[in-house]
Amino acid sequence: MSHAPVVPDLSALARIRGVRAVLLTSLDDALTIASSSHVDVDVDALAAFATALCRRAHQAAAVGALGAVRVVALEAAAGRLLAAARGRLLLVVLAERDTSPGMIRLALTRALEGLA
Amino acid sequence: MPDEIARLSEAMARDPRGMAWVALADALRRARQLPAAERTALRGLARHPYHADGHDALDRIAADAGDLGRARDEWEMPLRLDARHVGALLGMGWIALAGGDRATATRWWEGAQALAPTDARVLAAGRQLAAAPVAAAVPTPARHPLTRGAQDIFASLEDEGAHAALLVDDAGFVIAGRATGAAGVDHAHALGAELSGLTADVERARLQLQLGAWERLLVECEDGTMALAPAASDCITVIATPAGTPSGLPRLLVERARRRANGWLEAL
């Protein structure tokens, strides 16, 4: 008998060129559940700020009658932050500016699809 | 009232680290024991400096003491902590009404009403606002001079697929544009207030994660996508597109909205 994994495989995301960190966290407490990152990335800070941003995005989406949030993407001069939610889990990617956002978005949603 | 104060004082004595101080400060205020109310609120805020309801209570004490300037300054604190704080939105409206600025008071009230339409405080404030004499209004300089056609500066973007397009200032006030939901309800003010908090979180994230200046924020949802971009004068532009829109279109539209907003702001 096979079961869907509880934690997604982060390796495919971590292998994308330009990705500096990938982590799985909880929207409830922002604690890191699993991660793969470069040594210069503070994974706990990334989890905390990505969770706060996504919670606020959920509130704004509710006011705008847009339904449940699927993906949040912050594009900035020196990098990108993407996060996708499934239930109370949040998968977060921090990447260089020139990384393809379409590629990360696709890998993010695929990684979450196989979760239990 | 004395029973309520006694009960809350006992609760404070039983649990000095608890949160009964907020209700006690407000009960003391309503009993016109303003110095005791202020001491209670300040002691509580010393332990919980980021408690929005605690700041709200202190602001009401300042307002009741007639110190409207301090109340106005202080009421901005709970709004910075929580842009959806209904009490603070109503408080800012009350300050505006006390100063004779009915238009600004109405704007604050509409923000609160959009968030909590059945809240008894909102309903009471609505009645107070309706009863306020129009003739008593003393015009004050608007923070942003609204020109004719402010609602229509993004009209062509609506033709291109955006069902909401707004220009919002750093305090969450809508300057231009509109956001009308499927039921025909205008939720521009509520959305503007919420976006103020969202952009504050964007600022914190990009500073802490050393991402540099932010260019766009995209929020993909089940029923649509929202895209934000910073504009001139510390404002933000936001557009929303319906579900099924190609994922690249919101980025394109928000960039157009940003350029249009900047041009419009420069022309003011």
Side-chain angles (χ1 to χ4, degrees):
Chain A
M1 191 168 73
S2 65
H3 295 281
V6 176
V7 174
D9 179 12
L10 306 185
S11 59
L13 273 162
R15 279 198 301 270
I16 296 174
R17 186 186 295 272
V19 168
R20 298 176 58 214
V22 186
L23 65 85
L24 183 72
T25 184
S26 161
L27 279 167
D28 295 321
D29 54 23
L31 294 177
T32 305
I33 298 166
S35 69
S36 172
S37 70
H38 289 193
V39 288
D40 62 334
V41 177
D42 183 342
V43 171
D44 292 332
L46 175 59
F49 286 106
T51 304
L53 189 60
C54 288
R55 282 187 193 143
R56 190 71 80 163
H58 275 275
Q59 291 172 1
V63 172
L66 293 172
V69 173
R70 287 180 173 158
V71 179
V72 174
L74 174 60
E75 300 177 1
R80 300 178 182 282
L81 175 69
L82 282 94
R86 171 146 183 183
R88 303 306 297 165
L89 292 177
L90 188 69
L91 188 53
V92 181
V93 173
L94 181 68
E96 306 286 354
R97 178 69 177 88
D98 56 2
T99 312
S100 161
M103 178 78 81
I104 301 174
R105 182 178 171 277
L106 185 65
L108 260 179
T109 48
R110 280 186 181 161
L112 285 174
E113 275 169 6
L115 281 188
Chain B
M1 184 71 71
D3 289 348
E4 184 186 6
I5 291 171
R7 181 176 56 77
L8 290 167
S9 296
E10 285 169 17
M12 281 274 291
R14 277 196 308 275
D15 181 11
R17 292 175 180 275
M19 301 305 295
W21 60 274
V22 179
L24 178 59
D26 199 54
L28 288 165
R29 174 189 68 83
R30 283 183 276 116
R32 304 297 301 167
Q33 297 180 39
L34 297 182
E38 185 174 13
R39 279 196 305 275
T40 304
L42 288 174
R43 274 202 298 265
L45 285 169
R47 289 193 305 275
H48 306 278
Y50 301 112
H51 196 282
D53 285 344
H55 282 283
D56 183 37
L58 182 60
D59 303 336
R60 287 177 194 284
I61 295 161
D64 280 11
D67 191 349
L68 298 187
R70 181 183 167 201
R72 183 189 296 109
D73 293 343
E74 293 284 341
W75 247 313
E76 290 179 352
M77 173 62 92
L79 281 178
R80 279 199 292 271
L81 295 170
D82 178 6
R84 295 163 58 89
H85 196 286
V86 172
L89 290 169
L90 292 175
M92 291 296 278
W94 184 84
I95 293 283
L97 195 60
D101 187 351
R102 197 169 189 265
T104 302
T106 302
R107 197 168 56 168
W108 283 110
W109 179 81
E110 284 173 348
Q113 202 256 352
L115 291 168
T118 59
D119 188 307
R121 295 169 301 171
V122 175
L123 296 173
R127 288 192 293 273
Q128 188 183 5
L129 197 57
V134 177
V138 178
T140 55
R143 190 169 178 180
H144 295 282
L146 288 175
T147 61
R148 196 175 297 167
Q151 273 208 322
D152 297 321
I153 67 167
F154 302 122
S156 66
L157 297 176
E158 293 166 8
D159 296 337
E160 291 172 293
H163 64 190
L166 293 174
L167 177 64
V168 180
D169 75 6
D170 58 345
F173 287 123
V174 174
I175 300 173
R178 57 184 157 231
T180 306
V185 179
D186 184 358
H187 51 247
H189 294 288
L191 190 58
E194 196 59 58
L195 292 177
S196 165
L198 181 58
T199 49
D201 277 328
V202 167
E203 282 295 325
R204 278 191 284 272
R206 67 120 189 142
L207 282 171
Q208 290 294 325
L209 301 172
Q210 298 178 330
L211 293 174
W214 72 287
E215 296 167 358
R216 271 178 296 274
L217 178 74
L218 301 167
V219 182
E220 291 182 31
C221 308
E222 279 180 359
D223 300 325
T225 296
M226 187 162 54
L228 289 74
S233 306
D234 292 329
C235 295
I236 55 166
T237 49
V238 57
I239 63 101
T241 55
T245 304
S247 58
L249 189 60
R251 302 171 89 238
L252 187 69
L253 291 179
V254 79
E255 181 55 29
R256 287 184 185 167
R258 189 186 65 79
R259 284 203 298 265
R260 198 155 303 170
N262 285 350
W264 185 77
L265 285 167
E266 278 176 21
L268 282 178

